[in-house]
Amino acid sequence: KNQVEQSPQSLIILEGKNCTLQCNYTVSPFSNLRWYKQDTGRGPVSLTIMTFSENTKSNGRYTATLDADTKQSSLHITASQLSDSASYICVVRKDSSYKLIFGSGTRLLVRP
Amino acid sequence: NAGVTQTPKFQVLKTGQSMTLQCAQDMNHEYMSWYRQDPGMGLRLIHYSVGAGITDQGEVPNGYNVSRSTTEDFPLRLLSAAPSQTSVYFCASSNLAGVDTGELFFGEGSRLTVL
């Protein structure tokens, strides 16, 4: 069964601290994996995409990793800011299909 | 800078009523889709379209209808609302190349409550 599991479900950290969010998937065949950020009351917005051949990619304070062998991805946030408070959603696209499989997200709260 | 526009943002219905959620995009995207988001669950695809006159079912299509008469608009119709349809609904669009990379542009969402 094609699934995307994210952990933890929720996370609270202090401003300035780092954190890592996890995404495990069983989607096959795999095409790519994308991380989205969803602010409260808004629609998701893409942060970064990881393809099969990529191991690490950075977008400012966000660094995504992908291990296609173990089917795991992580999103590392460095020096967190209050504006990082949001839900982070992992989405995997199945190859040769329009089908996207969404994880249920990790809700991050950054406290001052 | 409109992007994907959804209306209404909030709606309360009684069981059995019908209504239409509107979605419009100004990016000339071929692909448009409707998702519902429920607590503790990932976004689930209701219906999608790859161009005017072409629609197809997603994983949870029952109780919903769509049509695509223009490239810009993709309304979602609830035929006879049920409490199980209480959810937040998102419209998303992309060009077909963007779909290949899984990049969707989402609207702000429509929160629907069915009593």
Side-chain angles (χ1 to χ4, degrees):
Chain A
K1 186 177 179 181
N2 295 307
Q3 287 187 312
V4 176
E5 302 284 346
Q6 292 188 244
S7 62
Q9 282 191 325
S10 61
L11 183 62
I12 301 173
I13 62 173
L14 292 176
E15 187 179 11
K17 298 297 186 182
N18 304 335
C19 68
T20 301
L21 314 180
Q22 299 289 345
C23 175
N24 296 341
Y25 61 93
T26 59
V27 178
S28 182
F30 172 84
S31 177
N32 55 66
L33 181 150
R34 192 176 283 270
W35 285 92
Y36 282 83
K37 179 186 180 187
Q38 184 177 20
D39 292 317
T40 300
R42 310 292 294 271
V45 175
S46 176
L47 286 174
T48 189
I49 180 175
M50 302 297 290
T51 58
F52 191 87
S53 59
E54 295 175 309
N55 297 119
T56 304
K57 183 182 286 185
S58 292
N59 177 7
R61 295 180 297 102
Y62 300 102
T63 299
T65 67
L66 175 67
D67 185 334
D69 291 332
T70 62
K71 298 187 176 181
Q72 295 179 324
S73 177
S74 67
L75 181 68
H76 185 75
I77 304 174
T78 304
S80 61
Q81 300 176 358
L82 299 179
S83 59
D84 293 330
S85 295
S87 289
Y88 292 84
I89 302 172
C90 175
V91 185
V92 178
R93 190 175 90 78
K94 192 173 179 180
D95 197 18
S96 303
S97 167
Y98 287 125
K99 186 171 179 64
L100 300 174
I101 297 97
F102 287 76
S104 57
T106 293
R107 184 179 295 271
L108 174 66
L109 176 62
V110 180
R111 285 187 168 160
Chain B
N1 285 356
V4 178
T5 302
Q6 291 183 234
T7 57
K9 290 187 72 70
F10 301 95
Q11 183 72 48
V12 179
L13 290 178
K14 294 181 179 178
T15 297
Q17 288 184 317
S18 62
M19 76 156 301
T20 299
L21 299 178
Q22 302 290 345
C23 176
Q25 52 91 10
D26 62 358
M27 297 173 281
N28 203 31
H29 284 165
E30 302 97 328
Y31 180 87
M32 296 186 74
S33 55
W34 277 101
Y35 287 87
R36 59 178 289 172
Q37 186 175 42
D38 300 296
M41 301 181 71
L43 284 149
R44 292 183 292 168
L45 181 64
I46 304 170
H47 285 284
Y48 67 96
S49 168
V50 296
I54 305 169
T55 63
D56 207 346
Q57 296 181 349
E59 60 181 303
V60 288
N62 292 342
Y64 308 94
N65 271 359
V66 292
S67 60
R68 184 97 179 268
S69 57
T70 67
T71 300
E72 295 78 20
D73 300 298
F74 191 47
L76 178 72
R77 297 181 186 86
L78 281 71
L79 308 173
S80 178
S84 60
Q85 293 179 304
T86 293
S87 187
V88 181
Y89 292 85
F90 286 96
C91 179
S93 73
S94 183
N95 55 40
L96 292 182
V99 174
D100 280 345
T101 66
E103 182 176 31
L104 298 179
F105 295 86
F106 286 86
E108 299 279 273
S110 297
R111 183 176 292 275
L112 175 67
T113 301
V114 182
L115 302 176

